[in-house]
Tab-separated table of all heavy atoms in Angstrom:
chain	number	residue	atom	x	y	z
A	19	SER	N	-6.496	2.482	-2.553
A	19	SER	CA	-5.257	3.243	-2.739
A	19	SER	C	-5.495	4.743	-2.604
A	19	SER	O	-4.722	5.463	-1.966
A	19	SER	CB	-4.659	2.925	-4.115
A	19	SER	OG	-3.518	3.711	-4.351
A	23	ASN	N	-3.293	6.359	0.508
A	23	ASN	CA	-2.030	7.036	0.226
A	23	ASN	C	-2.148	8.542	0.020
A	23	ASN	O	-1.197	9.179	-0.423
A	23	ASN	CB	-1.369	6.369	-0.986
A	23	ASN	CG	-1.005	4.924	-0.696
A	23	ASN	OD1	-0.526	4.608	0.375
A	23	ASN	ND2	-1.262	4.036	-1.645
A	24	ILE	N	-3.301	9.105	0.376
A	24	ILE	CA	-3.465	10.552	0.303
A	24	ILE	C	-2.897	11.241	1.548
A	24	ILE	O	-2.607	12.445	1.543
A	24	ILE	CB	-4.967	10.919	0.157
A	24	ILE	CG1	-5.138	12.379	-0.273
A	24	ILE	CG2	-5.716	10.656	1.455
A	24	ILE	CD1	-4.633	12.688	-1.644
A	139	PHE	N	-3.626	0.292	-8.343
A	139	PHE	CA	-3.354	0.808	-7.001
A	139	PHE	C	-2.360	1.967	-7.064
A	139	PHE	O	-2.573	3.028	-6.466
A	139	PHE	CB	-2.791	-0.339	-6.152
A	139	PHE	CG	-2.761	-0.069	-4.675
A	139	PHE	CD1	-3.825	-0.432	-3.868
A	139	PHE	CD2	-1.652	0.519	-4.080
A	139	PHE	CE1	-3.795	-0.198	-2.497
A	139	PHE	CE2	-1.610	0.757	-2.717
A	139	PHE	CZ	-2.689	0.398	-1.927
A	140	GLY	N	-1.289	1.768	-7.836
A	140	GLY	CA	-0.297	2.829	-7.991
A	140	GLY	C	-0.841	4.032	-8.729
A	140	GLY	O	-0.535	5.181	-8.395
A	141	GLY	N	-1.676	3.776	-9.731
A	141	GLY	CA	-2.270	4.879	-10.494
A	141	GLY	C	-3.155	5.762	-9.632
A	141	GLY	O	-3.133	7.000	-9.751
A	142	ALA	N	-3.928	5.141	-8.736
A	142	ALA	CA	-4.780	5.921	-7.840
A	142	ALA	C	-3.952	6.782	-6.896
A	142	ALA	O	-4.289	7.937	-6.624
A	142	ALA	CB	-5.678	4.978	-7.043
A	143	SER	N	-2.848	6.214	-6.405
A	143	SER	CA	-1.960	6.968	-5.513
A	143	SER	C	-1.302	8.133	-6.240
A	143	SER	O	-0.999	9.170	-5.636
A	143	SER	CB	-0.886	6.040	-4.945
A	143	SER	OG	-1.475	4.989	-4.217
A	144	PHE	N	-1.064	7.959	-7.536
A	144	PHE	CA	-0.476	9.025	-8.351
A	144	PHE	C	-1.476	10.172	-8.551
A	144	PHE	O	-1.117	11.356	-8.506
A	144	PHE	CB	-0.064	8.449	-9.705
A	144	PHE	CG	0.446	9.460	-10.690
A	144	PHE	CD1	1.687	10.051	-10.529
A	144	PHE	CD2	-0.327	9.837	-11.781
A	144	PHE	CE1	2.158	10.990	-11.437
A	144	PHE	CE2	0.129	10.764	-12.692
A	144	PHE	CZ	1.377	11.347	-12.522
A	147	PRO	N	-2.917	13.050	-5.003
A	147	PRO	CA	-2.420	14.386	-4.667
A	147	PRO	C	-2.860	15.464	-5.663
A	147	PRO	O	-3.064	16.617	-5.281
A	147	PRO	CB	-0.893	14.208	-4.701
A	147	PRO	CG	-0.669	12.757	-4.484
A	147	PRO	CD	-1.817	12.086	-5.169
A	238	TYR	N	9.010	-3.490	5.398
A	238	TYR	CA	8.691	-2.955	4.077
A	238	TYR	C	7.616	-1.867	4.169
A	238	TYR	O	7.788	-0.771	3.615
A	238	TYR	CB	8.203	-4.045	3.109
A	238	TYR	CG	7.624	-3.391	1.889
A	238	TYR	CD1	8.458	-2.817	0.937
A	238	TYR	CD2	6.245	-3.207	1.762
A	238	TYR	CE1	7.944	-2.103	-0.120
A	238	TYR	CE2	5.717	-2.501	0.696
A	238	TYR	CZ	6.570	-1.950	-0.253
A	238	TYR	OH	6.053	-1.223	-1.287
A	242	GLU	N	7.932	2.005	3.097
A	242	GLU	CA	7.078	2.630	2.068
A	242	GLU	C	6.328	3.833	2.615
A	242	GLU	O	6.348	4.927	2.048
A	242	GLU	CB	6.093	1.588	1.543
A	242	GLU	CG	5.090	2.129	0.536
A	242	GLU	CD	3.893	1.216	0.384
A	242	GLU	OE1	3.982	0.236	-0.380
A	242	GLU	OE2	2.863	1.469	1.045
A	243	GLN	N	5.658	3.642	3.751
A	243	GLN	CA	4.882	4.730	4.337
A	243	GLN	C	5.779	5.765	5.007
A	243	GLN	O	5.453	6.953	5.028
A	243	GLN	CB	3.874	4.158	5.343
A	243	GLN	CG	2.793	3.299	4.721
A	243	GLN	CD	1.957	4.071	3.720
A	243	GLN	OE1	1.575	5.224	3.954
A	243	GLN	NE2	1.660	3.443	2.581
A	246	SER	N	6.769	7.886	1.915
A	246	SER	CA	5.669	8.585	1.232
A	246	SER	C	4.960	9.586	2.141
A	246	SER	O	4.561	10.664	1.695
A	246	SER	CB	4.664	7.567	0.686
A	246	SER	OG	4.027	6.849	1.725
A	247	TYR	N	4.793	9.237	3.431
A	247	TYR	CA	4.063	10.131	4.333
A	247	TYR	C	4.828	11.415	4.620
A	247	TYR	O	4.232	12.481	4.794
A	247	TYR	CB	3.760	9.405	5.647
A	247	TYR	CG	2.952	10.237	6.616
A	247	TYR	CD1	1.617	10.537	6.364
A	247	TYR	CD2	3.519	10.750	7.789
A	247	TYR	CE1	0.871	11.315	7.232
A	247	TYR	CE2	2.788	11.517	8.672
A	247	TYR	CZ	1.465	11.795	8.391
A	247	TYR	OH	0.730	12.570	9.266
A	263	THR	N	5.169	15.702	-5.520
A	263	THR	CA	6.207	14.668	-5.559
A	263	THR	C	5.695	13.357	-4.962
A	263	THR	O	6.151	12.277	-5.332
A	263	THR	CB	7.466	15.138	-4.799
A	263	THR	OG1	7.898	16.378	-5.362
A	263	THR	CG2	8.593	14.137	-4.904
A	264	VAL	N	4.727	13.442	-4.032
A	264	VAL	CA	4.132	12.226	-3.472
A	264	VAL	C	3.476	11.416	-4.578
A	264	VAL	O	3.622	10.193	-4.650
A	264	VAL	CB	3.101	12.570	-2.379
A	264	VAL	CG1	2.488	11.297	-1.815
A	264	VAL	CG2	3.751	13.374	-1.266
A	265	GLY	N	2.755	12.102	-5.469
A	265	GLY	CA	2.129	11.411	-6.591
A	265	GLY	C	3.154	10.775	-7.509
A	265	GLY	O	2.965	9.660	-8.003
A	266	ARG	N	4.258	11.487	-7.738
A	266	ARG	CA	5.317	10.932	-8.596
A	266	ARG	C	5.960	9.710	-7.948
A	266	ARG	O	6.371	8.778	-8.632
A	266	ARG	CB	6.368	12.004	-8.879
A	266	ARG	CG	5.805	13.226	-9.616
A	266	ARG	CD	6.907	14.177	-10.034
A	266	ARG	NE	6.333	15.414	-10.543
A	266	ARG	CZ	6.352	16.571	-9.891
A	266	ARG	NH1	6.926	16.643	-8.706
A	266	ARG	NH2	5.801	17.647	-10.407
A	267	PHE	N	6.057	9.717	-6.613
A	267	PHE	CA	6.573	8.570	-5.876
A	267	PHE	C	5.752	7.326	-6.209
A	267	PHE	O	6.293	6.273	-6.553
A	267	PHE	CB	6.514	8.874	-4.371
A	267	PHE	CG	6.849	7.707	-3.475
A	267	PHE	CD1	8.149	7.487	-3.065
A	267	PHE	CD2	5.850	6.842	-3.019
A	267	PHE	CE1	8.462	6.420	-2.227
A	267	PHE	CE2	6.157	5.777	-2.185
A	267	PHE	CZ	7.462	5.569	-1.788
A	268	TRP	N	4.426	7.454	-6.126
A	268	TRP	CA	3.559	6.306	-6.411
A	268	TRP	C	3.538	5.978	-7.895
A	268	TRP	O	3.432	4.810	-8.287
A	268	TRP	CB	2.146	6.577	-5.894
A	268	TRP	CG	2.089	6.683	-4.405
A	268	TRP	CD1	1.900	7.806	-3.658
A	268	TRP	CD2	2.238	5.605	-3.465
A	268	TRP	NE1	1.930	7.510	-2.319
A	268	TRP	CE2	2.124	6.169	-2.169
A	268	TRP	CE3	2.456	4.233	-3.591
A	268	TRP	CZ2	2.222	5.391	-1.017
A	268	TRP	CZ3	2.548	3.462	-2.437
A	268	TRP	CH2	2.430	4.040	-1.179
A	269	GLY	N	3.638	6.995	-8.732
A	269	GLY	CA	3.700	6.741	-10.173
A	269	GLY	C	4.927	5.923	-10.544
A	269	GLY	O	4.842	4.988	-11.355
A	270	MET	N	6.068	6.260	-9.945
A	270	MET	CA	7.282	5.507	-10.227
A	270	MET	C	7.217	4.102	-9.638
A	270	MET	O	7.858	3.176	-10.148
A	270	MET	CB	8.503	6.252	-9.678
A	270	MET	CG	8.875	7.497	-10.479
A	270	MET	SD	9.194	7.136	-12.230
A	270	MET	CE	10.682	6.141	-12.124
A	271	MET	N	6.436	3.907	-8.595
A	271	MET	CA	6.238	2.552	-8.085
A	271	MET	C	5.522	1.693	-9.130
A	271	MET	O	5.833	0.507	-9.289
A	271	MET	CB	5.427	2.563	-6.786
A	271	MET	CG	6.239	2.956	-5.571
A	271	MET	SD	5.447	2.532	-3.995
A	271	MET	CE	5.790	0.778	-3.899
A	272	SER	N	4.578	2.288	-9.849
A	272	SER	CA	3.882	1.550	-10.909
A	272	SER	C	4.845	1.198	-12.043
A	272	SER	O	4.812	0.078	-12.569
A	272	SER	CB	2.715	2.388	-11.453
A	272	SER	OG	1.739	2.583	-10.456
A	273	VAL	N	5.687	2.153	-12.426
A	273	VAL	CA	6.686	1.891	-13.472
A	273	VAL	C	7.634	0.780	-13.022
A	273	VAL	O	7.947	-0.149	-13.780
A	273	VAL	CB	7.482	3.176	-13.789
A	273	VAL	CG1	8.621	2.876	-14.762
A	273	VAL	CG2	6.558	4.243	-14.371
A	318	PRO	N	10.942	10.122	-5.924
A	318	PRO	CA	10.223	9.180	-6.780
A	318	PRO	C	11.042	7.940	-7.128
A	318	PRO	O	10.481	6.845	-7.265
A	318	PRO	CB	9.918	10.014	-8.033
A	318	PRO	CG	9.871	11.415	-7.541
A	318	PRO	CD	10.938	11.483	-6.488
A	321	GLY	N	10.651	5.326	-4.643
A	321	GLY	CA	9.431	4.568	-4.926
A	321	GLY	C	9.657	3.522	-5.998
A	321	GLY	O	9.176	2.387	-5.898
Side-chain angles (χ1 to χ4, degrees):
S19 176
N23 296 319
I24 194 66
F139 194 92
S143 300
F144 175 72
Y238 168 75
E242 176 198 277
Q243 294 299 317
S246 65
Y247 183 70
T263 304
V264 180
R266 299 187 189 107
F267 172 91
W268 294 108
M270 287 303 293
M271 282 196 78
S272 295
V273 174

